[in-house]
Amino acid sequence: MSDIAILKEMIQESATVPLEDSYGKKKVTLREPDLPNCSVTIHGMPNDDQVIVIKADTFTAPKAIFGGSKGECKRADFVIVADTGKKKVILCIEMKAKTTTSPEQKIIQQLKGAQCFVAYCQKIGKEFWYAKQFLDTYVYRFVTIRNINIHKKPTRETISDEHDCPEKMLKISSPHHLQFNLLIGKK
């Protein structure tokens, strides 16, 4: 059973985002949870059996257990886990309607929380699905998308493999026609 198949069995369908067909290719529309009219579409997604898009903040914050003083109860909006055949990637995405919505440290905490959520899923897969190598060969990429639905000249940093930790997240502002391959990096 593939890692994606295990995740699809593990994660409830209500906590996922379905792919859509677009001219013979796949795309996904991510909606900012707090602002239903605020969305981003990522084009060029892998096929359904190669990817799962998880609404990571559906997972209830563990506030009954953790104090939250370091941001350990936060999570990014979405996690995309994909095996394209050429690259295995876990993409953590935080969406912000405006540039000044949150300080960067809060976004870093949200991205770290999403990474911890995936680590929890990884441990569940290893222990309950007996998949000893579950998600071990995947690389992380971290992205924040800001100024969603604001019509101005789009800006983005140079896309590379440097956004492999929350502190070095890829920052995209005023997104227009995002491509999956660009978000996951070159290698």
Side-chain angles (χ1 to χ4, degrees), residues 120-157:
Y120 182 72
C121 291
Q122 184 176 21
K123 190 66 173 171
I124 296 281
K126 288 180 178 191
E127 296 297 326
F128 292 92
W129 271 261
Y130 305 103
K132 295 187 186 330
Q133 305 296 317
F134 186 61
L135 300 178
D136 283 348
T137 58
Y138 286 70
V139 296
Y140 278 91
R141 296 292 180 256
F142 300 91
V143 177
T144 180
I145 303 171
R146 308 166 193 218
N147 291 327
I148 300 166
N149 294 348
I150 296 176
H151 299 290
K152 64 179 190 179
K153 185 178 179 182
T155 60
R156 55 182 81 158
E157 293 183 357

Side-chain angles (χ1 to χ4, degrees), residues 74-88:
K74 298 181 184 304
R75 277 165 326 286
D77 297 316
F78 299 96
V79 172
I80 299 174
V81 183
D83 180 354
T84 67
K86 295 180 181 177
K87 188 171 193 173
K88 295 180 178 185

Side-chain angles (χ1 to χ4, degrees), residues 31-120:
R31 301 194 188 292
E32 168 53 69
D34 300 327
L35 301 166
N37 294 330
C38 193
S39 65
V40 167
T41 300
I42 301 172
H43 299 270
M45 294 293 293
N47 292 324
D48 288 302
D49 62 339
Q50 297 174 302
V51 66
I52 183 169
V53 182
I54 304 166
K55 297 183 270 187
D57 59 1
T58 300
F59 186 77
T60 305
K63 293 178 182 175
I65 303 288
F66 297 115
S69 64
K70 303 289 185 193
E72 66 272 18
C73 293
K74 298 181 184 304
R75 277 165 326 286
D77 297 316
F78 299 96
V79 172
I80 299 174
V81 183
D83 180 354
T84 67
K86 295 180 181 177
K87 188 171 193 173
K88 295 180 178 185
V89 66
I90 299 167
L91 184 60
C92 301
I93 300 174
E94 176 58 27
M95 294 173 49
K96 298 294 180 193
K98 300 176 183 173
T99 301
T100 58
T101 309
S102 295
E104 191 160 302
Q105 185 57 38
K106 181 179 175 189
I107 295 169
I108 291 170
Q109 291 171 344
Q110 290 172 294
L111 293 169
K112 285 181 177 182
Q115 188 175 22
C116 291
F117 165 73
V118 173
Y120 182 72

